[in-house]
Amino acid sequence: MKRVFRLSEKTHGPGGIYFSWQKTLGNYLATTGFDHNVKIYDRHGEQRDEINLPGMCASLGWDKDGDTLAIINDKTGVVFLWDANGQRTAQLDSGLKDTLSFLLWSKRAQQLAIGTAKGNLLVYNHQTSRKIPILGKHTRKITCGAWSSQNLLALGSEDKTITISNAEGDTVRQTSVRAEPADLQFSEMKGDERSMMGENTVSVVIGRKTLFLYNMNDPENPIELAFQQRYGSIVAYKWYGDGYIMIGFSQGYFVVISTHMKEIGQELFQARNHKDSLTSIAISLSLNKAASCGDNCVKIHDLSDLKEMYAIITVEEDRTLDKMAWTDDGQLMAVSTTKGSLNVYLTKLPLLGEAYQTRIAYLTSLLEVTIQDSVNQVSSLCWVRHTRPG
């Protein structure tokens, strides 16, 4: 895998680096750290903009089309909105008086959910500029959440409850859990009959040890899955395929389970991908690949046969890898480190070529074209700047 660019530890100063790829197009990468700045890079590593915040960035995220990046900070109730098309920043006063702690765009509409440290909620419609404040949605800090494809909003809080609300912010379901929830997601749990609800299940990690599945078709019978102690704590998980969940554990284990009721909780695949620790996992449906990172390497598997190791990326300069994420098209993968650096790798190259007489020109990286004479067996490289195929 070819490295496209690297951001050094100096980009945001000491500490970790947090990042988010632009949805859909993946033309921009937003990064932040402990320096009160958000930087926007293009996919070649060129800085395109910088947003100075009054406090440390508490969360950032792109809307479903990748047109707008929303940013909140820990000092004010102002939401910064960066327009990717005009490359300009606007400010939205949330009207919330306590510290902003959470934000997430809807999968379906131009709606943004903003949560606070005291459990209050704002649902903002970016298209109409309508703001719906919901005070007391939770009694403590809102820490995680997810929108469903049906535009329901699930939230998790330090008060050990999960709420499910409609797009207006009205609570339609609520359930308690026995420890603090984290990494809340919506998906479809498979039953004997096809659900008419689509994404019918809220999944959430409880106390970093168990996975809690709350099926809205059967709210009285939630399922809590525990795992072998030797795996360590749950670091991350991803739904994929026909009701499968891939889970990464702190001790380096990489496990796949099914949510089909006949085989609920069964381990369909298990591997110890990393000797010391696993820190993140990612899935690219466009590539049909899954990856885990830990120690100083990223291991990539083919989803159709997880036993097959597709590729291994070793990061020589940085031995403490942290988070990883693919662009939606699977072309680029970003891998961060706990020291604050970030590497971006080319994982898929568009097929692009042309022939003239005995010469063939074809793309060999995002900014590199190789020209080869098939008769004289002569090759040459041509570098292209600031253009992108397709």
Side-chain angles (χ1 to χ4, degrees):
M1 299 287 173
K2 193 166 189 174
R3 186 163 68 184
V4 181
F5 66 89
R6 180 178 187 270
L7 303 179
S8 75
E9 292 89 343
K10 296 177 182 177
T11 305
H12 290 287
I17 184 170
Y18 306 93
F19 65 93
S20 179
W21 283 110
Q22 180 191 31
K23 292 281 180 65
T24 309
L25 294 173
N27 285 338
Y28 295 109
L29 177 70
T31 68
T32 190
F34 294 95
D35 61 348
H36 298 191
N37 292 323
V38 172
K39 295 182 179 181
I40 314 289
Y41 295 89
D42 65 18
R43 54 169 52 203
H44 309 300
E46 305 260 350
Q47 186 175 323
R48 292 302 181 189
D49 211 343
E50 183 170 350
I51 303 148
N52 299 310
L53 306 176
M56 198 168 77
C57 178
S59 184
L60 52 77
W62 298 88
D63 74 337
K64 65 183 180 67
D65 299 316
D67 293 330
T68 306
L69 174 71
I71 307 161
I72 56 174
N73 69 92
D74 64 355
K75 296 296 183 190
T76 70
V78 173
V79 182
F80 290 77
L81 299 168
W82 186 77
D83 183 339
N85 300 311
Q87 296 196 8
R88 58 182 179 269
T89 306
Q91 295 185 20
L92 167 72
D93 184 0
S94 69
L96 299 167
K97 301 304 179 189
D98 57 310
T99 306
L100 306 186
S101 62
F102 168 83
L103 73 75
L104 189 68
W105 289 95
S106 165
K107 293 178 185 177
R108 278 185 55 182
Q110 288 284 304
Q111 284 176 293
L112 179 65
I114 302 159
T116 77
K118 291 185 178 177
N120 300 317
L121 174 69
L122 177 75
V123 179
Y124 167 68
N125 189 311
H126 189 47
Q127 200 166 5
T128 65
S129 299
R130 184 186 179 204
K131 294 188 281 189
I132 307 173
I134 301 102
L135 302 180
K137 171 61 72 174
H138 285 270
T139 59
R140 294 184 65 185
K141 181 180 181 180
I142 294 172
T143 56
C144 58
W147 287 91
S148 77
S149 52
Q150 289 75 40
N151 223 30
L152 293 174
L153 173 65
L155 296 170
S157 164
E158 288 180 354
D159 63 10
K160 299 178 186 175
T161 64
I162 294 164
T163 56
I164 302 172
S165 309
N166 61 22
E168 302 289 304
D170 304 316
T171 302
V172 295
R173 292 274 166 82
Q174 183 166 334
T175 188
S176 296
V177 290
R178 52 190 187 77
E180 191 176 325
D183 199 358
L184 195 151
Q185 299 178 31
F186 262 107
S187 195
E188 184 176 357
M189 189 169 163
K190 303 300 178 182
D192 294 332
E193 296 179 12
R194 196 81 183 164
S195 169
M196 300 303 291
M197 286 183 68
E199 293 185 333
N200 58 21
T201 302
V202 172
S203 56
V204 64
V205 175
I206 304 298
R208 301 182 67 210
K209 291 293 182 186
T210 61
L211 189 61
F212 184 84
L213 304 176
Y214 179 82
N215 190 329
M216 289 185 289
N217 293 336
D218 190 12
E220 301 303 314
N221 297 294
I223 296 167
E224 192 166 358
L225 300 174
F227 301 93
Q228 296 182 47
Q229 199 168 351
R230 67 190 176 100
Y231 290 174
S233 56
I234 298 173
V235 170
Y237 71 98
K238 304 284 181 187
W239 289 79
Y240 77 99
D242 194 26
Y244 300 109
I245 303 176
M246 183 172 292
I247 311 168
F249 293 88
S250 60
Q251 294 298 313
Y253 290 91
F254 187 64
V255 175
V256 174
I257 62 168
S258 170
T259 62
H260 293 248
M261 287 311 297
K262 291 176 182 175
E263 51 188 14
I264 188 78
Q266 283 184 30
E267 292 185 7
L268 306 180
F269 174 79
Q270 183 254 83
R272 190 169 190 183
N273 259 12
H274 305 277
K275 182 184 174 184
D276 295 325
S277 67
L278 180 150
T279 56
S280 184
I281 64 169
I283 286 178
S284 172
L285 296 179
S286 60
L287 289 180
N288 200 39
K289 300 286 188 291
S292 68
C293 79
D295 306 332
N296 71 326
C297 70
V298 175
K299 295 189 175 181
I300 302 174
H301 299 254
D302 198 309
L303 277 179
S304 54
D305 185 3
L306 288 167
K307 294 184 182 70
E308 289 295 316
M309 190 72 69
Y310 173 76
I312 298 175
I313 300 171
T314 303
V315 185
E316 298 294 350
E317 308 98 321
D318 308 293
R319 300 198 64 81
T320 52
L321 302 189
D322 190 19
K323 302 298 179 194
M324 63 187 294
W326 261 295
T327 52
D328 285 352
D329 62 9
Q331 280 192 17
L332 298 172
M333 173 193 281
V335 184
S336 67
T337 74
T338 55
K339 291 181 180 178
S341 63
L342 182 141
N343 296 279
V344 172
Y345 296 93
L346 183 65
T347 51
K348 174 191 167 190
L349 194 61
L351 290 172
L352 192 66
E354 188 61 73
Y356 176 72
Q357 294 180 349
T358 61
R359 289 184 290 275
I360 303 166
Y362 54 96
L363 203 64
T364 44
S365 83
L366 290 179
L367 294 174
E368 179 186 283
V369 175
T370 296
I371 302 169
Q372 188 170 22
D373 191 314
S374 57
V375 174
N376 298 318
Q377 300 295 310
V378 176
S379 295
S380 61
L381 285 179
C382 175
W383 292 89
V384 184
R385 290 298 291 167
H386 301 303
T387 60
R388 189 175 68 85

